Amino acid sequence: MIIMAPVLLILLGATEILQADLLPDDKISLLPPVNFTIKVTGLAQVLLRWEPNPDQEQRNVNLEYQVKIHAPKEDDYETRITESKCVTILHKGFSASVRTILQNDHSLLASSWASAELHAPPGSPGTSVVNLTCTTNTTADNYSHLRPYQVSLHCTWLVGTDAPEDTQYFLYYRYGSRTEECQEYSKDSMGRNIACWFPRTFIHSRGRDWLAVLVNGSSKHSAIKPFDELFALHAIDQINPPLNVTAEIEGTRLSIQWEKPVSAFPIHCFDYEVKIHNARNGYLQIEKMMTNAFISIIDDLSKYDVQVRAAVSSMCREAGLWSEWSQPIYVGKDEHKPLRQWFLIVLMATICFILLILLLICRICHLWIKLFPPIPAPKSNIKDLFVTANYEKAGSVETEIEVISYIEKPGVETLEDSVF
């Protein structure tokens, strides 16, 4: 123990001396970086660059830099290199600061800040577009083996409230290092562009980069203020509905199957929702699953319509939009008759019931005889008459007298009539 005590004291002293040499907090002075600049390198993208202070005392230490974004959105991070790329909207301007820092386990040494600013682009207030929205959609490309799926882009916006009538807007998008200008616009009644359609883009539906969209404009009467926006693909990607949905009923088992949507994502990257509607009682059943098949126990006396929709699973990317529901598939028996058919049945039954009641009333009260009394029979029966015709010729050829005698049976008056 007596021998170990001096050894421990020596080690502790050496440690303190080493720390004092490495992190001489009271002797080193940190200086701010120099030549700090902000440069626009693309749509909604800037490059921050600076240099170490040439007067900075060189020690056997690793200096770092702290970057603070002030506008348009506050952010704070640290880096060891002397440049930083930042993706952000720029129509509101951009400002940032950077300083030199030195950290240890006990304290943080930092220099003063070096700052730079990028002013907002010029333009009259109220002239920029408003309500800019964009959606993407994936389609199959049977003509390309390198990229079997193509992503389309559709954006819409409203004209600025104070924009002159002759204002015309133009849209650009950037994804990664690719930038494109819109070629297909939709116009309002005054001929101003209010929507854009890209049938094919450089966007990768499975990518994680931000989609940057810029809409600027021109007018003879006023400077149009540009507007840019950033979109996360998972938030605007409109997934296609599942394909080949089928439904079959076997007894009380309803079996539903489908295929994954048209998408660059593999089959295991989808969540599904199945909607089963009972047309008989209006009951709606919605089930969520990760497989492409579902079996439900049902009432085999009812008719059902079945629909399925899909969304990319959070296992493959951040949660996004659900697809539209697939076209309904109708299965089962329809025990209920349509409302019109029921109405006709009830109407005919009501009419028959009313006629039956009227007939019973007429029979009980002898109304039929009172309303339609019988016609009395004639006194003489014409069928009992015997007709005898006698023809006589008298005088000249021109005149012919026909005598017809009607002779009744004995006891009945004889009628005679003459025709000239």
Side-chain angles (χ1 to χ4, degrees), residues 35 54 77 105 113 188 211 239 260 282 286 308 314 325 336 417:
N35 299 330
Y77 56 93
D105 295 335
W113 292 98
D188 63 6
L211 172 66
I239 302 298
K260 86 174 188 72
I286 298 180
V308 185
S314 58
W325 290 102
H336 283 284
D417 199 358

Side-chain angles (χ1 to χ4, degrees), residues 97-313:
S97 300
V98 62
R99 67 177 179 177
T100 308
I101 60 173
L102 179 61
Q103 301 186 71
N104 59 33
D105 295 335
H106 306 289
S107 62
L108 171 68
L109 286 179
S111 71
S112 59
W113 292 98
S115 299
E117 183 179 4
L118 193 67
H119 295 287
S124 301
T127 58
S128 61
V129 299
V130 294
N131 293 346
L132 175 63
T133 59
C134 295
T135 57
T136 58
N137 182 252
T138 301
T139 57
D141 188 354
N142 299 324
Y143 302 99
S144 175
H145 297 287
L146 297 177
R147 293 189 63 185
Y149 298 98
Q150 286 291 335
V151 178
S152 62
L153 174 65
H154 183 248
C155 296
T156 62
W157 60 87
L158 298 178
V159 175
T161 54
D162 297 326
E165 293 184 357
D166 69 332
T167 300
Q168 193 57 279
Y169 294 107
F170 307 96
L171 183 140
Y172 305 80
Y173 86 87
R174 179 187 62 80
Y175 186 78
S177 60
R178 298 295 192 105
T179 301
E180 278 192 296
E181 179 182 359
C182 181
Q183 302 297 326
E184 297 184 27
Y185 289 101
S186 299
K187 303 179 182 293
D188 63 6
S189 58
M190 302 183 68
R192 298 175 295 191
N193 296 335
I194 57 171
C196 170
W197 165 250
F198 290 92
R200 299 167 67 94
T201 66
F202 294 103
I203 299 172
H204 296 277
S205 58
R206 297 180 63 179
R208 298 181 181 273
D209 291 338
W210 287 93
L211 172 66
V213 178
L214 168 70
V215 181
N216 58 21
S218 63
S219 171
K220 296 180 180 178
H221 306 286
S222 178
I224 306 302
K225 191 174 181 65
F227 180 86
D228 59 350
E229 189 64 87
L230 292 173
F231 298 94
L233 289 186
H234 71 273
I236 65 170
D237 188 20
Q238 185 62 61
I239 302 298
N240 295 301
L243 298 175
N244 300 329
V245 180
T246 60
E248 294 182 353
I249 293 180
E250 296 180 1
T252 59
R253 291 165 56 91
L254 172 60
S255 301
I256 307 169
Q257 292 184 336
W258 59 89
E259 297 178 6
K260 86 174 188 72
V262 174
S263 173
F265 287 94
I267 190 172
H268 67 271
C269 284
F270 288 95
D271 292 329
Y272 298 100
E273 280 190 350
V274 178
K275 181 169 65 173
I276 305 173
H277 177 247
N278 188 324
R280 182 178 183 182
N281 55 25
Y283 177 72
L284 188 64
Q285 177 185 0
I286 298 180
E287 300 290 342
K288 187 175 181 180
M289 65 209 64
M290 297 182 64
T291 60
N292 62 342
F294 178 70
I295 297 177
S296 178
I297 303 302
I298 61 168
D299 172 15
D300 60 349
L301 298 179
S302 299
K303 186 175 183 179
Y304 298 86
D305 55 270
V306 177
Q307 293 176 283
V308 185
R309 66 177 182 176
V312 178
S313 171

Side-chain angles (χ1 to χ4, degrees), residues 54-68:
D55 298 329
Q56 177 65 55
E57 183 181 359
Q58 299 297 319
R59 292 288 186 93
N60 190 20
V61 293
N62 293 321
L63 298 179
E64 297 181 4
Y65 302 96
Q66 181 182 8
V67 180
K68 180 176 288 187

Side-chain angles (χ1 to χ4, degrees), residues 309-372:
R309 66 177 182 176
V312 178
S313 171
S314 58
M315 296 188 305
C316 298
R317 75 172 183 191
E318 294 184 61
L321 303 174
W322 284 93
S323 73
E324 299 291 334
W325 290 102
S326 63
Q327 293 296 319
I329 303 296
Y330 298 96
V331 291
K333 302 176 182 178
D334 188 4
E335 296 295 333
H336 283 284
K337 297 181 181 297
L339 183 61
R340 182 179 178 183
Q341 192 171 352
W342 276 116
F343 176 77
L344 293 175
I345 292 175
V346 173
L347 179 62
M348 294 300 296
T350 304
I351 293 174
C352 293
F353 179 75
I354 293 174
L355 291 176
L356 180 61
I357 295 298
L358 291 177
L359 288 175
L360 291 175
I361 294 174
C362 291
R363 184 174 182 84
I364 294 174
C365 301
H366 304 286
L367 292 178
W368 188 264
I369 298 177
K370 295 179 180 180
L371 292 175
F372 305 100

